[in-house]
Amino acid sequence: MATGRTHRPATRSRGIPEATVARLPLYLRALTALSERSVPTVSSEELAAAAGVNSAKLRKDFSYLGSYGTRGVGYDVEYLVYQISRELGLTQDWPVVIVGIGNLGAALANYGGFASRGFRVAALIDADPAMAGKPVAGLPVKHTDELEAIISDNGVSIGVIATPAGAAQQVCDRLVAAGVTSILNFAPTVLSVPEGVDVRKVDLSIELQILAFHEQRKAGEDAAQESAAQESAAPAPAVSGGADRRKGPDGDVPAVMPA
Amino acid sequence: MATGRTHRPATRSRGIPEATVARLPLYLRALTALSERSVPTVSSEELAAAAGVNSAKLRKDFSYLGSYGTRGVGYDVEYLVYQISRELGLTQDWPVVIVGIGNLGAALANYGGFASRGFRVAALIDADPAMAGKPVAGLPVKHTDELEAIISDNGVSIGVIATPAGAAQQVCDRLVAAGVTSILNFAPTVLSVPEGVDVRKVDLSIELQILAFHEQRKAGEDAAQESAAQESAAPAPAVSGGADRRKGPDGDVPAVMPA
DNA sequence: ATGTCTTTGTGAACGCGTGCACAAAGATGG
DNA sequence: CCATCTTTGTGCACGCGTTCACAAAGACAT
């Protein structure tokens, strides 16, 4: 899960915990599926299973929104869909711009999950003049020169950055200057933004690295680690002193220092 | 940030907190950049700024790995790169399969961030026979029929699912049955997996919805909410009783119930 | 109307993560 | 060798998030 908020450390927004907000879309998806199957009500137990969470957690989450359930029965599906949608701000239309129409940007433009949730792709923007005018996902790609005008004309407040890492900060600055206050960043960089601008980051390679960590751990449980002695390219610290002592929290850290 | 682990609730893996593990790739990226600029050492303050975190947090994170710094000087960049890489399991090669070669799958296949971190795309797999053999990112797309053989032949333990939601669980089951124990899921579904299999989820639409929530909140700070009265399609609960009372945690929740 | 049964809503306890603030360690200069 | 200065490593406290467990609420049958 690519996660990561920036700024506003843990500001419990309007009394709703951040962790709960992050789960609301999950519930909404499960509820939408139930709604399409014309299921009238669900218990917290059933819905929790469908969303992949604990039922107590789900009930506590809903309790932050108000008392929308009926004891002995459960939750009314349609009503809950509406309440969560409203809470998340999905009853209104959110125009979005995607900057950087490479492989990933094109994939995002074609992604159906946006439109179905109240997000409308207002424009696709790329710095490459050769891309300008080319249709992607039914929209003509605009050149970066038009960025400010597009944002202002469409009242865009959410921007998606899918550029290479090197261009991300510059694009971010222009988006913010033009009035964007929420950014979804796919570029592998830490963006710095002024106060009041929200940034969320999705980093594909980080997710894989976390999986690799757990995978390595699983593999290491059976076979004791001998991989630490296989390489020879291990650099040594440049500092003088005896920094070769190891004080790992466990005793299983090999005391060898790569030469 | 698309985040979300599944199973193993908070198993502090080998003494390293999950939150720390999630930040190690961040540090690694910042350190790699420093390494390329031939910077010999960094202080926790500098590195923390580059990674976008608190310096105290960074020092505590590193303390879980051992004492790799030198007081009065800082951390040796090359040495730290090596230690974190080893800790994350990136000193070895991880063959990966990507299932579902649509727009997103193709974007992932072309993503450079994988190969540079020890991940090797062993195969691209798609269910569409028309895709079979077509080259994507320099690799010929394989048909789903070959899934089990590919995984077994290449010793693949990490799978990436980029299929439509409907196919995800089935693909997941086949991956797991074939020996995959870590899955990165881009399909908007909750996957159920047996014990011992790690699943991480990246959901593009969820990230946008979280941004929309905060965006709505920002907008609502100035203009008091009047949008709640604009629509007419609000469903009412099917249950009989007087469920129309609202007991929101704050008093700012409108007490009107959509008719 | 009364009793039973189901399911919600939440009080309370616990654990993890974060950040402060400082002592210990070592570099550096005289 | 001593003093000073920088920076790490960590003890401690605090707050958020999770989970348990149960009382309250309401549906439903009799």
Side-chain angles (χ1 to χ4, degrees):
Chain A
M1 93 192 175
T3 305
R5 293 184 64 254
T6 319
H7 278 268
R8 188 163 24 191
T11 310
R12 175 164 298 201
S13 314
R14 145 89 172 304
I16 300 181
E18 191 59 30
T20 294
V21 172
R23 279 188 296 266
L24 289 183
L26 231 56
Y27 302 145
L28 183 56
R29 174 170 296 148
L31 284 165
T32 304
L34 290 172
S35 173
E36 282 166 3
R37 287 166 39 204
S38 299
V39 177
T41 60
V42 266
S43 68
S44 63
E45 203 70 48
E46 295 167 321
L47 185 54
V53 301
N54 186 297
S55 72
K57 197 188 297 190
L58 179 141
R59 287 199 300 276
K60 179 144 288 195
D61 283 343
F62 285 175
S63 80
Y64 291 116
L65 309 182
S67 296
Y68 293 151
T70 307
R71 299 177 189 225
V73 175
Y75 298 92
D76 181 81
V77 172
E78 295 299 321
Y79 187 55
L80 206 44
V81 165
Y82 166 73
Q83 288 299 343
I84 294 180
S85 294
R86 194 177 54 81
E87 200 66 53
L88 285 172
L90 304 182
T91 52
Q92 57 184 287
D93 194 64
W94 293 103
V96 170
V97 293
I98 301 176
V99 186
I101 312 302
N103 278 296
L104 180 58
L108 293 172
N110 280 293
Y111 181 51
F114 291 165
S116 70
R117 290 273 186 280
F119 298 99
R120 182 173 50 82
V121 178
L124 307 176
I125 302 176
D126 199 282
D128 183 3
M131 288 287 295
K134 259 203 202 169
V136 172
L139 283 172
V141 174
K142 302 284 187 180
H143 188 260
T144 318
D145 292 344
E146 305 179 57
L147 187 145
E148 283 79 8
I150 291 170
I151 289 175
S152 146
D153 292 352
N154 295 77
V156 174
S157 56
I158 300 179
V160 177
I161 297 180
T163 66
Q169 183 63 58
Q170 191 181 351
V171 166
C172 173
D173 291 343
R174 287 183 65 181
L175 287 173
V176 170
V180 166
T181 48
S182 288
I183 290 176
L184 182 53
N185 179 30
F186 286 88
T189 329
V190 177
L191 293 179
S192 77
V193 293
E195 188 68 22
V197 176
D198 274 325
V199 176
R200 293 189 70 84
K201 189 175 36 139
V202 175
D203 194 314
L204 314 175
S205 123
I206 283 183
E207 298 303 318
L208 271 189
Q209 290 175 56
I210 296 173
L211 281 179
F213 172 83
H214 292 296
E215 197 60 40
Q216 182 188 41
R217 211 180 116 267
K218 281 186 238 169
E221 275 168 3
D222 309 297
Q225 61 249 59
E226 25 64 52
S227 65
Q230 98 188 28
E231 83 306 304
S232 58
V239 293
S240 58
D244 50 341
R245 111 193 99 79
R246 290 288 210 76
K247 209 176 63 176
D250 299 338
D252 58 354
V253 184
V256 286
M257 160 97 119
Chain B
M1 86 184 167
T3 304
R5 295 184 62 254
T6 318
H7 277 269
R8 187 163 24 192
T11 309
R12 175 162 298 202
S13 314
R14 143 88 173 302
I16 300 181
E18 192 58 31
T20 295
V21 172
R23 279 188 294 269
L24 289 182
L26 231 57
Y27 302 145
L28 183 56
R29 174 171 296 148
L31 285 165
T32 304
L34 290 172
S35 172
E36 281 166 3
R37 287 166 39 207
S38 300
V39 177
T41 60
V42 267
S43 68
S44 63
E45 203 71 50
E46 293 167 322
L47 185 54
V53 301
N54 186 298
S55 71
K57 197 187 298 188
L58 178 141
R59 287 199 299 275
K60 182 149 289 194
D61 283 342
F62 285 174
S63 79
Y64 290 116
L65 308 182
S67 296
Y68 293 152
T70 307
R71 300 180 189 221
V73 174
Y75 298 92
D76 180 81
V77 172
E78 295 299 323
Y79 187 55
L80 207 45
V81 164
Y82 167 72
Q83 289 298 344
I84 294 179
S85 295
R86 192 175 56 82
E87 200 66 51
L88 285 172
L90 305 182
T91 52
Q92 59 184 284
D93 194 63
W94 292 103
V96 169
V97 294
I98 301 176
V99 186
I101 312 302
N103 279 295
L104 180 57
L108 294 172
N110 281 293
Y111 182 52
F114 291 165
S116 69
R117 289 277 185 280
F119 298 100
R120 181 173 50 83
V121 178
L124 308 176
I125 303 176
D126 199 282
D128 184 2
M131 288 287 294
K134 259 203 200 168
V136 171
L139 283 174
V141 174
K142 302 285 186 179
H143 188 261
T144 317
D145 291 344
E146 305 180 57
L147 188 145
E148 284 78 9
I150 291 170
I151 289 175
S152 145
D153 292 352
N154 295 78
V156 174
S157 56
I158 300 179
V160 178
I161 297 180
T163 66
Q169 183 63 59
Q170 192 181 352
V171 167
C172 173
D173 291 342
R174 287 183 65 181
L175 287 173
V176 171
V180 165
T181 48
S182 288
I183 290 177
L184 182 53
N185 180 32
F186 286 89
T189 329
V190 177
L191 293 180
S192 78
V193 293
E195 187 69 23
V197 176
D198 275 324
V199 176
R200 294 189 69 86
K201 188 175 36 139
V202 176
D203 194 313
L204 314 174
S205 121
I206 283 184
E207 298 304 317
L208 271 187
Q209 290 176 55
I210 296 173
L211 282 178
F213 172 84
H214 292 296
E215 197 60 39
Q216 181 189 40
R217 211 181 117 267
K218 281 186 238 170
E221 274 169 1
D222 309 298
Q225 60 250 59
E226 24 66 53
S227 65
Q230 98 189 26
E231 82 307 305
S232 59
V239 292
S240 58
D244 51 341
R245 114 192 96 79
R246 292 288 212 75
K247 211 177 63 177
D250 298 340
D252 58 353
V253 184
V256 285
M257 159 96 117

